[in-house]
Amino acid sequence: MSDSAEEGFDMTDKQMEERAETLLASSKNGILNIIKAGDPVLRRKSGKAWGALSPELLLNLIEAMRLTMLDAPGVGLAGPQVGLPLSLAVVEDHDRGIEGDERERSEFPFHVIIDPVYHPVEEKGEKPFFEGCLSVPGFQAVRRRWLEVDATWLDEEGVKHEERLHGWPARIFQHETDHLHGEIYIDKANTRSLTTYENLKDYWHIERTPDDMAKACDFEL
Ligand code: ZN
């Protein structure tokens, strides 16, 4: 629960620091509460993160977000999802060697993405696939994403990174960056594809192609 509904959309750096400290103090075993859909903090545009917090507070926040993401478990967690409208997210995923997995997962080691931006590599096109979000627990839906993006972000030391991402890492980067603009994946997902996680496993695992679902559930990809 957050009291964000009573706040304005602009927070000063001092207010952001106080909010971050309050959140960290309320963590349980280092795990933060994950904000669920319906809380306005997920719908506001996040403020620039670099320079907003002291270096020590930033590192403490990143570590708490890392533990929270692993505990969930998830492959990405953005500032607003822990109640902080600050433009940063943590990400981590691995190639799990699942045969027939269309997601094109690859090694995406843990890192923080601060003030991330992406530009689509349009000639590579989009790909529809199942996607979920820790703020909308228990459900997934088919969402089109750019297959490749040119991604830019700062790390925890303020060093700028530029990388072309492909497949699942590209999807994760887009999903998390969109959170920082007040979006949730379901905004642009095909709502006829909405499925509980149990039904996803029962009906669309492991081949679970969006194509099969589109035919069975009567929607266009
Ligand atoms: Zn999400």
Side-chain angles (χ1 to χ4, degrees):
M1 183 89 184
S2 101
D3 58 357
S4 49
E6 285 124 47
E7 292 172 355
F9 276 68
D10 293 314
M11 287 169 77
T12 64
D13 287 355
K14 189 167 185 303
Q15 286 171 323
M16 199 71 85
E17 281 209 322
E18 284 170 359
R19 168 60 69 87
E21 277 164 0
T22 303
L23 288 170
L24 289 171
S26 69
S27 67
K28 294 187 179 69
N29 297 323
I31 311 290
L32 298 163
N33 180 43
I34 297 180
I35 304 292
K36 307 300 190 299
D39 188 314
V41 73
L42 291 171
R43 292 310 194 174
R44 62 166 71 172
K45 195 168 166 25
S46 286
K48 193 170 170 288
W50 183 249
L53 306 179
S54 73
E56 187 189 359
L57 185 55
L58 177 65
L59 290 180
N60 289 342
L61 175 67
I62 292 167
E63 177 60 6
M65 288 176 69
R66 186 183 75 85
L67 292 174
T68 305
M69 174 179 69
L70 291 178
D71 178 69
V75 296
L77 186 68
Q81 291 183 280
V82 295
L84 205 58
L86 197 60
S87 182
L88 59 79
V90 291
V91 295
E92 178 174 8
D93 196 29
H94 301 285
D95 180 3
R96 304 184 190 213
I98 301 171
E99 210 168 314
D101 191 338
E102 283 198 3
R103 285 175 284 189
E104 301 192 57
R105 276 178 130 151
S106 58
E107 282 304 308
F108 198 37
F110 173 80
H111 51 286
V112 63
I113 52 174
I114 296 175
D115 297 327
V117 177
Y118 69 83
H119 298 287
V121 182
E122 292 193 18
E123 60 269 28
K124 295 286 183 181
E126 294 179 300
K127 180 168 178 168
F129 207 77
F130 295 101
E131 189 170 315
C133 178
L134 295 175
S135 294
V136 191
F139 292 90
Q140 292 209 3
V142 174
R143 168 73 195 251
R144 302 185 75 85
R145 292 283 186 190
W146 297 106
L147 185 60
E148 280 189 13
V149 294
D150 285 322
T152 307
W153 70 95
L154 303 177
D155 66 20
E156 64 275 26
E157 291 173 347
V159 177
K160 188 175 179 183
H161 295 257
E162 292 176 288
E163 210 174 303
R164 180 163 289 192
L165 300 174
H166 176 91
W168 209 245
R171 181 175 290 267
I172 294 169
F173 197 96
Q174 291 170 76
H175 179 119
E176 300 310 327
T177 303
D178 289 357
H179 268 303
L180 306 174
H181 297 280
E183 289 186 27
I184 302 178
Y185 83 100
I186 199 74
D187 296 349
K188 291 173 187 166
N190 187 315
T191 48
R192 282 188 71 93
S193 71
L194 186 71
T195 171
T196 64
Y197 195 65
E198 285 72 25
N199 282 337
L200 181 73
K201 282 192 292 183
D202 287 349
Y203 288 91
W204 317 111
H205 194 72
I206 244 175
E207 292 79 8
R208 54 180 205 173
T209 67
D211 259 340
D212 295 336
M213 193 194 203
K215 286 188 197 105
C217 296
D218 191 23
F219 61 87
E220 302 273 324
L221 282 179

